[in-house]
Amino acid sequence: MTKFALRLSFLFLFLPLLSFNILYEKHDASNSWIRINLLGYQPSASKVAIWASKTNQLPQKFELVNQQTGKVVYSSTAIQSFGAYGPFNTTARLNFSDFKTQGKYLIKVDNVTSPQVMINADVYRHTADFALRYMRQQRSGFNPFLRDSCHTHDGFVLYGAKAGIKDSTHMDASGGWHDASDYLQYSTTSANAAYHLLMAYRDFPQAFGDEKQANGLDGKNGLADVLDEAKWGLDWLLKMHPKDNVMFNQLADDRDHISMRIPKEDSQYGKGFERPLYYIDGEPQQRGKFMNNTTGTSSTAAKFTSAFVLGSKLFETKDKTYAQILAKKAKSALAFANIKKGVTQTVSVKSPYIYAEDNWVDDMELAYASILQSANAKSRQNSLDEAFAYAQKETITPWLASDTANHYQYYPFINIGHYELAKQSKGTQKAQLTNYYKQGIEQVWARAKKNAFYRGIPFIWCSNNLTVAFAMQCFWYKQLSGDQTFTELEQANFDWIFGCNPWGTSMVYGLPNWGDTPTDPHSAFTHLKNYPIDGGLVDGPVYTSIYKNLIGIQLTKPDAYAEFQSDLAVYHDDYGDYSTNEPTMDGTASLVYLLAAFDSRVKPINKDFQSLQGAVIRGKTSEKKIALVFTGDEFADGGKSIQATLNKNKVKASFFFTGKFYRNKAFKGIITNLKANGNYLGAHSDAHLLYNDWTKRDSLLVTKAQFTTDLKANYQAMQNFGIAQKDAPYFLPPYEWYNQQIADWTNDMGLQLVNFTPGTRSNADYTYPEMGKSYRSTEEIYQSIIDQDKNKPNGLNGFMLLLHIGTDPKRTDKFYNKLPELIQYLKKSGYEMVKINELLKSER
């Protein structure tokens, strides 16, 4: 990789918050801009654009204009001023999070207009697979992009004396990924990339498709493309650890940088087309005229361990023999990591510039956190203790708080071990690990909250990789804790990657295809052959002070972003700037995970169905079908009557009960008979929790852990009646009250959230007179159903009509006594009464 290892001082130029007077009636469009996420926003997500101006003008309001009709659909004064930043005199956050209508819009401030603003639940769909294109293009060995092979002669061993291997001995090391726009291959970045790809599939399998064969060419092979790609990396890592006492850290070195070429032309290492293969001996090795600071074998070997363990688990049902090989190699890799505790740095021959990784305890934490998943009871406790001990040695990834860093000094840029270990921990230990993430986030937030872009990431080399890693840390912290404090910060870092930055450009080649994205990256593929490098994440902006001190940078054309460069940071879409515009394989692999995570926040819902806050609330309005839905928690007085009515009329209904209801011995007979008669039985939470505030819907009252534990307990109670989770994939929330986060957590459990269809008063059948104005009589409820059918478009088509199987004794006017009359009315009106899984069957 054409990069330097420099010690950098972070230069944060944050000015105090200023207020400005409006000087002109109209803003100067030639000196003011609106920065957005060019890829788009999900309806229920945080949605913020940035006002950036070289004038001293602040907008008083902004508008969203429907791009097709030209009509103003939203107007807001939710503008937060931050003053100067980078090249701008005035900046502000324009928050339109409460606008949730899907469509294409423009943000306007007088005569200043943004690029196209996309709001859509599917806006990130297939983007993770798009980023995988760059990973395939980076393949060594057979390259599907070129439809040709390269580096098939690799390689010859150096530093192999400790393993009894003579220098220049040939060992097969063909395959894997080129690290960046050069053709070096590093075990540390490859193992990290493979882990991210495996983790992306494990956590979000629904985000990936199957369009490629194992060799990367077109054609399905029954395996998600992300797993094909991860296996390509794992196969090479197996070659880099061929024996228990042999592990290699690096293939090729900085002699790669002599010239730009297509990969199969490599012949500059003195042995024809062979390249050097550097053995890990735990001792300092070459660094130009100097030696690197290698202190041990742990950092790389531990990364091998984690990747092999996760690969073994994911391939266990797909290729058992391969999974067993990976499991065996994981153990030998962990033993190799323990030969000499310390870090393994990379090697250079002509220059002092290397990957100067200094930390290794984070790698050991992840290795032991991974191993313990498949260990026996005794080994599991030992692995847990080892992992937690390493976690305490590096609680916060140092770059989050430090103001200096060498190139790749703190790698990976996120401590994955904290997340993997926390998921397997309980009580105080889990809380402690989760808090480590929070402490790191707070370090960045302390800087970010001072500027409009919420930019707290230092502009050091590969700043985009750090940005992606930090967004992942925010995401994982929220998953572990349920705390949404940093949701807007998380989104801001994601938005930065896709155009909500001073330059107004996406940092991912070709994504989105309608927006400003890199066109002239530092890449031989594009420079020599004009090949597109779809999905590649470029390095990103660097401090101007760094840029001015770099060797050999010369722009090849006028700077398209000249007016947005500043004394703070620079970014160039120019082949000549290797510091800001070179794509990296490992950064792109991390982006694959982040895109899959953001895509999976919103489960795709059939467009023929109606949804709200991530829950399906109505089936197809084109079909005269209706689902009778009954919920139950503490009362079941209508059970026998309802059951008899359904049986008599040959109708099936859907019942959602709490765990408390399922465990109530008095209700066992009712439940057993309902199931035997073919009705749908589902979950309604275990303890009938209130998930979110009644007046502040976005304010959660439970953590994800509490939510998950409670819902699992509900399904455990259902298992006593032979009802497995796969048999009841729809979940109806307690109190029929939820928000998008609850829908996301439901989706994470492989379930779909559903709720009643609004429009009638059927859900008020539990009320009693003492409730005053909230009380609804049976006749009033019944009439509301008739009115919906007769007076509203599409009537009751696709309705989920919610009722209760029992009510408080204070209600004597029981609606279930009206059920026979209601069913007869619905039948005469031509409605087919179906179970909820039948109403929504095309959705799953």
Side-chain angles (χ1 to χ4, degrees):
M1 193 181 295
T2 316
K3 305 186 189 321
F4 302 147
L6 303 173
R7 184 160 295 276
L8 312 173
S9 294
F10 296 177
L11 178 61
F12 291 100
L13 301 181
F14 300 130
L15 297 183
L17 187 67
L18 303 176
S19 61
F20 298 88
N21 294 322
I22 302 300
L23 302 180
Y24 308 98
E25 184 178 353
K26 295 289 185 181
H27 292 95
D28 184 354
S30 65
N31 282 290
S32 301
W33 299 267
I34 298 172
R35 300 306 196 202
I36 65 165
N37 183 327
L38 297 167
L39 190 55
Y41 305 86
Q42 291 165 328
S44 296
S46 168
K47 295 184 286 294
V48 177
I50 304 299
W51 167 263
S53 178
K54 294 195 173 185
T55 72
N56 290 335
Q57 299 172 304
L58 260 181
Q60 291 181 315
K61 71 172 184 177
F62 66 95
E63 299 172 330
L64 259 68
V65 177
N66 184 293
Q67 195 172 27
Q68 185 174 10
T69 66
K71 293 182 178 179
V72 175
V73 295
Y74 178 83
S75 180
S76 176
T77 59
I79 298 171
Q80 187 180 9
S81 171
F82 283 87
Y85 183 79
F88 307 115
N89 292 340
T90 311
T91 57
R93 293 178 66 79
L94 314 179
N95 196 317
F96 55 106
S97 297
D98 56 340
F99 182 78
K100 302 179 187 295
T101 304
Q102 298 189 142
K104 298 178 182 179
Y105 307 94
L106 299 172
I107 298 176
K108 298 194 74 173
V109 175
D110 294 333
N111 56 339
V112 181
T113 304
S114 73
Q116 174 183 277
V117 177
M118 293 277 291
I119 300 178
N120 196 290
D122 297 338
V123 75
Y124 307 138
R125 193 74 66 228
H126 307 306
T127 54
D129 273 335
F130 183 86
L132 277 178
R133 296 184 188 182
Y134 181 71
M135 300 300 293
R136 279 191 290 273
Q137 189 185 64
Q138 289 298 101
R139 288 190 183 189
S140 186
F142 177 73
N143 187 294
F145 186 83
L146 298 175
R147 293 178 177 267
D148 199 356
S149 295
C150 65
H151 299 137
T152 56
H153 296 79
D154 290 331
F156 64 91
V157 177
L158 295 176
Y159 292 102
K162 282 190 175 182
I165 306 173
K166 293 181 180 180
D167 281 2
S168 295
T169 299
H170 176 81
M171 296 194 78
D172 179 16
S174 179
W177 298 296
H178 302 132
D179 204 50
S181 294
D182 48 31
Y183 305 125
L184 280 75
Q185 295 179 233
Y186 297 113
S187 294
T188 184
T189 55
S190 295
N192 184 48
Y195 193 90
H196 274 81
L197 297 181
L198 291 165
M199 186 170 51
Y201 178 77
R202 179 198 66 189
D203 294 351
F204 313 108
Q206 68 275 14
F208 298 98
D210 174 22
E211 300 297 332
K212 301 293 180 181
Q213 302 173 60
N215 63 6
L217 297 178
D218 290 345
K220 301 178 185 297
N221 67 344
L223 200 65
D225 294 337
V226 69
L227 281 184
D228 285 327
E229 204 58 40
K231 187 176 184 298
W232 188 267
L234 289 172
D235 288 347
W236 184 72
L237 292 175
L238 289 172
K239 290 184 176 183
M240 296 295 276
H241 182 38
K243 300 178 181 179
D244 289 357
N245 67 331
V246 177
M247 185 176 288
F248 299 106
N249 193 52
Q250 174 178 334
L251 177 59
D253 55 48
D254 63 329
R255 284 173 284 182
D256 173 280
H257 303 160
I258 291 173
S259 64
M260 297 296 288
R261 67 217 171 277
I262 295 303
K264 68 178 181 178
E265 299 170 0
D266 273 0
S267 61
Q268 64 267 50
Y269 294 97
K271 287 201 67 176
F273 288 101
E274 282 190 81
R275 299 187 296 170
L277 190 59
Y278 289 91
Y279 176 79
I280 299 174
D281 62 5
E283 305 296 334
Q285 296 178 358
Q286 193 169 357
R287 183 179 183 178
K289 296 179 180 180
F290 312 99
M291 301 294 280
N292 65 22
N293 294 320
T294 291
T295 60
T297 62
S298 305
S299 58
T300 300
K303 292 185 183 75
F304 273 72
T305 303
S306 306
F308 287 155
V309 170
L310 186 52
S312 176
K313 291 179 69 67
L314 293 182
F315 281 97
E316 191 170 14
T317 59
K318 307 176 191 304
D319 187 338
K320 192 170 184 178
T321 300
Y322 186 65
Q324 290 172 344
I325 292 171
L326 292 174
K328 182 179 178 181
K329 288 293 185 179
K331 293 179 181 178
S332 61
L334 185 58
F336 202 97
N338 281 292
I339 290 174
K340 186 180 181 183
K341 302 289 182 64
V343 68
T344 304
Q345 294 189 345
T346 62
V347 171
S348 62
V349 173
K350 298 177 68 65
S351 70
Y353 308 127
I354 62 170
Y355 282 168
E357 186 175 1
D358 269 350
N359 60 335
W360 55 274
V361 297
D362 57 332
D363 300 310
M364 295 294 279
E365 177 189 353
L366 179 57
Y368 278 104
S370 300
I371 284 286
L372 73 85
Q373 296 182 41
S374 54
N376 57 41
K378 183 176 180 181
S379 297
R380 178 180 171 80
Q381 187 59 51
N382 291 339
S383 297
L384 183 64
D385 293 341
E386 287 279 3
F388 191 65
Y390 280 117
Q392 292 173 304
K393 291 181 180 180
E394 187 179 285
T395 59
I396 300 174
T397 303
W399 74 260
L400 294 166
S402 176
D403 63 352
T404 58
N406 286 336
H407 185 47
Y408 275 56
Q409 182 177 4
Y410 305 119
Y411 188 78
F413 303 116
I414 181 175
N415 189 327
I416 308 173
H418 285 350
Y419 181 58
E420 297 300 320
L421 185 57
K423 289 191 298 180
Q424 301 175 79
S425 301
K426 298 179 180 179
T428 302
Q429 184 169 295
K430 181 174 183 178
Q432 196 169 337
L433 291 162
T434 304
N435 193 49
Y436 292 160
Y437 271 166
K438 183 178 184 180
Q439 290 174 29
I441 294 169
E442 286 174 335
Q443 293 282 342
V444 175
W445 175 234
R447 303 186 293 260
K449 63 185 178 182
K450 298 176 183 177
N451 66 84
F453 291 96
Y454 278 4
R455 183 68 182 175
I457 307 298
F459 291 110
I460 60 174
W461 220 318
C462 291
S463 64
N464 281 343
N465 293 9
L466 271 65
T467 302
V468 170
F470 180 71
M472 288 171 59
Q473 180 159 326
C474 291
F475 176 82
W476 284 344
Y477 169 71
K478 185 168 60 178
Q479 294 294 303
L480 291 170
S481 68
D483 180 5
Q484 299 197 70
T485 301
F486 304 109
T487 296
E488 192 170 332
L489 177 63
E490 172 193 335
Q491 185 73 44
N493 279 270
F494 184 81
D495 293 346
W496 174 280
I497 294 294
F498 292 103
C500 200
N501 54 58
W503 302 270
T505 181
S506 168
M507 300 288 177
V508 182
Y509 191 103
L511 191 63
N513 61 10
W514 59 82
D516 186 337
T517 79
T519 58
D520 188 22
H522 185 76
S523 165
F525 277 76
T526 56
H527 186 65
L528 298 178
K529 299 291 185 179
N530 291 318
Y531 293 142
I533 54 170
D534 288 349
L537 174 70
V538 299
D539 283 337
V542 299
Y543 286 121
T544 303
S545 58
I546 297 173
Y547 175 77
K548 289 181 177 179
N549 286 288
L550 294 177
I551 301 170
I553 288 185
Q554 185 174 356
L555 300 186
T556 62
K557 62 190 178 207
D559 182 6
Y561 299 109
E563 61 187 326
F564 308 122
Q565 316 297 7
S566 69
D567 290 338
L568 174 60
V570 298
Y571 167 79
H572 301 106
D573 184 13
D574 191 306
Y575 165 78
D577 182 2
Y578 55 79
S579 69
T580 70
N581 204 32
E582 182 179 14
T584 63
M585 170 272 298
D586 59 318
T588 302
S590 297
L591 180 66
V592 168
Y593 184 94
L594 188 64
L595 287 168
F598 271 60
D599 176 18
S600 300
R601 294 190 309 187
V602 178
K603 188 174 186 289
I605 293 174
N606 189 309
K607 289 181 170 56
D608 292 330
F609 300 158
Q610 290 182 12
S611 62
L612 178 68
Q613 296 267 338
V616 179
I617 60 170
R618 189 172 186 174
K620 294 180 181 179
T621 57
S622 59
E623 298 178 353
K624 287 185 75 69
K625 293 182 179 180
I626 184 172
L628 297 178
V629 174
F630 296 87
T631 62
D633 176 36
E634 56 181 325
F635 302 111
D637 47 285
K640 292 182 180 180
S641 171
I642 292 169
Q643 187 171 255
T645 301
L646 295 176
N647 291 343
K648 181 178 180 179
N649 289 278
K650 297 182 180 180
V651 168
K652 310 296 182 188
S654 303
F655 295 84
F656 292 86
F657 300 142
T658 63
K660 184 170 63 174
F661 190 101
Y662 282 110
R663 287 189 295 271
N664 193 322
K665 294 179 180 180
F667 303 158
K668 183 177 180 180
I670 294 172
I671 297 169
T672 301
N673 288 332
L674 287 172
K675 182 176 183 291
N677 290 329
N679 296 288
Y680 178 96
L681 270 69
H684 192 46
S685 86
D686 191 63
H688 210 255
L689 303 178
L690 180 62
Y691 292 148
N692 44 305
D693 190 275
W694 286 111
T695 57
K696 290 184 177 181
R697 190 165 193 166
D698 289 337
S699 180
L700 284 170
L701 302 178
V702 295
T703 66
K704 184 178 183 181
Q706 291 170 326
F707 168 84
T708 303
T709 299
D710 175 82
L711 189 49
K712 284 182 177 178
N714 195 167
Y715 277 99
Q716 287 172 357
M718 293 164 61
Q719 287 178 358
N720 294 327
F721 293 90
I723 307 167
Q725 182 172 317
K726 64 181 179 61
D727 302 321
Y730 298 99
F731 166 55
L732 200 150
Y735 297 101
E736 293 76 60
W737 189 239
Y738 64 98
N739 60 21
Q740 182 67 52
Q741 184 65 76
I742 297 300
D744 293 343
W745 290 348
T746 303
N747 183 44
D748 288 345
M749 293 183 67
L751 304 169
Q752 173 61 56
L753 196 68
V754 295
N755 202 22
F756 69 87
T757 308
T760 76
R761 300 309 309 233
S762 70
N763 60 305
D765 69 333
Y766 72 94
T767 59
Y768 44 85
E770 288 83 348
M771 289 183 173
K773 293 182 179 180
S774 298
Y775 174 68
R776 294 292 181 270
S777 69
T778 289
E779 286 303 322
E780 189 177 357
I781 293 170
Y782 185 81
Q783 189 59 48
S784 74
I785 297 171
I786 306 303
D787 290 344
Q788 172 69 33
D789 177 46
K790 292 184 175 180
N791 302 325
K792 299 295 175 67
N794 302 311
L796 293 167
N797 291 3
F799 245 64
M800 289 182 268
L801 194 72
L802 187 137
L803 301 161
H804 292 82
I805 195 170
T807 64
D808 192 293
K810 294 176 184 176
R811 182 182 182 101
T812 57
D813 182 20
K814 305 290 188 177
F815 185 80
Y816 51 74
N817 292 327
K818 194 80 169 177
L819 186 60
E821 184 179 345
L822 174 63
I823 289 177
Q824 287 303 311
Y825 171 84
L826 293 173
K827 283 187 173 183
K828 289 180 181 179
S829 299
Y831 288 101
E832 179 186 359
M833 281 160 278
V834 297
K835 295 183 290 185
I836 196 164
N837 54 324
E838 296 168 338
L839 185 75
L840 305 179
K841 63 181 178 180
S842 63
E843 190 272 329
R844 296 197 66 80

